[in-house]
Amino acid sequence: MGGHVIAGHCTAMHSYNGPAANKVLTAINRAQVQVVTNPLDSIVLQGRFDNYPKRRGLARVPELLQAGNKVGLGHDSVVDPWYPLGMGNLLDAAYMLVHACHLSGQEEMRRVFQMMVSDNHVPFGGAPKIAEGETAEFLVHSLNDPIDIIRLRRVPAYVVREGMVIAENQPAKTSVFDEAIDIGNFNK
């Protein structure tokens, strides 16, 4: 299929036994199908009515990556009945994926970041080019380390669309005081 086909969610893959999962992983690899996992949505919806142990309903991301498959990261519910906490922020999805798929090693977390900034673009011809004459559309983060970007999930410092900065975000400010400040009595 040449890398232009996406299989979304793939929640049943979580429940396959070993031989069935290996057969599917091989077929996905041979056909060059990209699997896009949606960890926030899937973790809430799958296994909801199971007894224990409850299924997580996530694609087998570590195994897909180990087999050389391209894996994308999605989040397709924004404040809807299926996932009412959705904000459309892929960093939240990456954070959940790291936890739910046990991808917490340094290289694994960097690989999850790569899924967001590169692999997600594969079916559409590749990541946008940042070069003179190209349409510039990207996010600028205030952090350099991909792991910190996932860990802290800050909003981007700048959002650039069609070569223009369309949004600027200031980091939250926290103040620590030497002495307690009286802001009223909350014990009433």
Side-chain angles (χ1 to χ4, degrees):
M1 297 182 195
H4 296 288
V5 175
I6 300 171
H9 296 273
C10 298
T11 58
M13 190 181 287
H14 180 253
S15 300
Y16 295 161
N17 65 30
N22 286 335
K23 184 176 180 180
V24 171
L25 289 167
T26 300
I28 288 170
N29 192 292
R30 189 176 326 115
Q32 296 180 341
V33 171
Q34 182 179 20
V35 171
V36 176
T37 186
N38 295 277
L40 292 166
D41 312 72
S42 296
I43 207 87
V44 167
L45 295 172
Q46 299 303 311
R48 176 173 288 233
F49 300 108
D50 289 359
N51 287 318
Y52 286 91
K54 289 185 178 281
R55 292 169 293 148
R56 291 181 172 178
L58 295 174
R60 293 184 180 211
V61 173
E63 292 86 349
L64 285 161
L65 293 173
Q66 183 72 28
N69 295 297
K70 288 290 184 193
V71 180
L73 181 61
H75 177 25
D76 58 2
S77 295
V78 179
V79 191
D80 64 15
W82 296 274
Y83 187 66
L85 301 175
M87 294 177 52
N89 185 345
L90 278 183
L91 289 173
D92 290 339
Y95 188 81
M96 177 63 79
L97 183 68
V98 164
H99 286 82
C101 287
H102 307 287
L103 295 168
S104 57
Q106 296 287 309
E107 289 309 310
E108 292 167 321
M109 289 186 284
R110 291 183 197 292
R111 184 66 185 91
V112 170
F113 185 81
Q114 182 75 25
M115 289 166 59
M116 285 190 301
V117 300
S118 181
D119 296 359
N120 274 1
H121 299 282
V122 168
F124 309 104
K129 295 176 179 74
I130 300 177
E132 189 173 334
E134 296 289 337
T135 302
E137 296 190 345
F138 54 89
L139 305 175
V140 177
H141 287 276
S142 61
L143 301 162
N144 292 325
D145 183 8
I147 295 171
D148 284 340
I149 292 172
I150 294 172
R151 181 176 66 87
L152 297 172
R153 298 179 316 285
R154 291 183 184 164
V155 294
Y158 298 98
V159 178
V160 178
R161 182 170 185 186
E162 296 180 2
M164 305 292 293
V165 175
I166 62 166
E168 177 183 10
N169 295 297
Q170 298 295 323
K173 181 182 175 187
T174 302
S175 299
V176 179
F177 304 109
D178 291 332
E179 296 179 19
I181 296 175
D182 184 6
I183 57 172
N185 187 350
F186 291 101
N187 294 325
K188 293 181 180 180

